[in-house]
């Protein structure tokens, strides 16, 4: 099992950039193409993430696609993942006092035409480096059933013991969804 985030050779050159509000139509188009209807989040949810954690939201662009993929993340201070399509407040992502060391990877999606071109790996490598630089030391995410093997190849393992209430949170993500974690080293 490999744990490398190094992008594989690709005919397409990718550029990772901070996500901006103007990128949201492209981000929403990637989301629409990547997910089943019940997993889609509203534009307002993406705007919220840009407001509470602008330093942790990224897009990958290519010559062919203005948004080949995106990664939305934020610091997090709770044992359970946030609910789908909900607004976060600043006290959730940056608690008063000591702060948090947990980086929550909220969503990473790739346009179908860009799959197989290391878009997700490139976004993840960039975002993880930024999270580490911000002092975050552990990452967590909810992986949809068909994405669990991808995340496991990157070194993510199931959160154990499972926090109380996790089964209810995962229900919205569909059967086989897993709460995964990885140290950011």
């Amino acid at each position: 099992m490999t744990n490398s985030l190094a992008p594989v050779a690709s005919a397409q050159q990718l550029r990772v950039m901070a996500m901006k509000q103007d990128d949201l139509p492209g981000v929403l188009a990637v989301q629409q193409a990547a997910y089943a209807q019940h997993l889609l989040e509203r534009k307002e949810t993406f705007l919220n993430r840009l407001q509470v954690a602008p330093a942790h939201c990224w897009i990958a662009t290519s010559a062919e696609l203005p948004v080949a993929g995106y990664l939305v993340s934020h610091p997090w201070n709770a044992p359970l993942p946030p609910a789908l399509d909900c607004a976060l407040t600043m006290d959730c992502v940056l608690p008063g006092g000591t702060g948090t060391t947990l980086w929550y990877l909220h969503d990473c999606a790739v346009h179908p035409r860009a799959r197989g071109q290391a878009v997700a790996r490139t976004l993840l490598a960039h975002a993880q480096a930024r999270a580490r630089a911000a002092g975050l030391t552990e990452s967590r995410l909810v992986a949809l059933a068909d994405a669990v093997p991808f995340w496991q190849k990157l070194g993510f393992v199931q959160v154990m013991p499972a926090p109380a209430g996790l089964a209810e949170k995962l229900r919205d993500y569909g059967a086989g969804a897993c709460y995964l974690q990885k140290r950011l080293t």
Side-chain angles (χ1 to χ4, degrees), residues 166-184:
L166 182 61
E168 295 93 49
K169 287 279 189 176
L170 293 181
R171 214 171 280 137
D172 290 342
Y173 293 89
C178 290
Y179 195 33
L180 304 176
Q181 67 184 358
K182 177 184 173 182
R183 295 282 307 155
L184 293 176

Side-chain angles (χ1 to χ4, degrees), residues 8 11 19 21-22 37 52 66 70 81 88 92 96 112-113 121-122 133 139 151 158 160 167 183:
V8 297
M19 185 186 292
Q21 187 171 343
D22 291 347
Q37 186 69 32
V52 299
Y70 66 85
L88 302 179
C92 291
R113 290 189 0 233
R121 287 177 184 265
T122 301
S139 59
W151 295 107
Q158 198 161 356
M160 296 301 268
R183 295 282 307 155

Side-chain angles (χ1 to χ4, degrees), residues 1-6 71 101-105 120-121 123-129 131-132 135-143 148-160 178-185:
M1 189 179 323
T2 181
N3 192 2
S4 173
L5 288 178
L71 187 146
T101 59
L102 180 62
W103 177 59
Y104 184 74
L105 199 164
R121 287 177 184 265
L123 282 163
L124 186 60
H126 184 88
Q128 281 183 339
R132 281 192 301 273
L136 304 172
T137 59
E138 181 184 354
S139 59
R140 290 194 178 180
L141 60 89
V142 172
V148 171
F150 171 80
W151 295 107
Q152 288 175 330
K153 286 179 188 174
L154 297 175
F156 284 83
V157 297
Q158 198 161 356
V159 173
M160 296 301 268
C178 290
Y179 195 33
L180 304 176
Q181 67 184 358
K182 177 184 173 182
R183 295 282 307 155
L184 293 176
T185 54

Side-chain angles (χ1 to χ4, degrees), residues 74-128:
H74 50 80
W76 189 238
N77 69 355
L80 292 173
L84 273 176
D85 205 27
C86 73
L88 302 179
T89 59
M90 288 303 290
D91 63 333
C92 291
V93 297
L94 296 173
T98 62
T100 184
T101 59
L102 180 62
W103 177 59
Y104 184 74
L105 199 164
H106 178 80
D107 190 8
C108 182
V110 176
H111 192 286
R113 290 189 0 233
R115 290 192 182 135
Q117 298 176 26
V119 175
R121 287 177 184 265
T122 301
L123 282 163
L124 186 60
H126 184 88
Q128 281 183 339

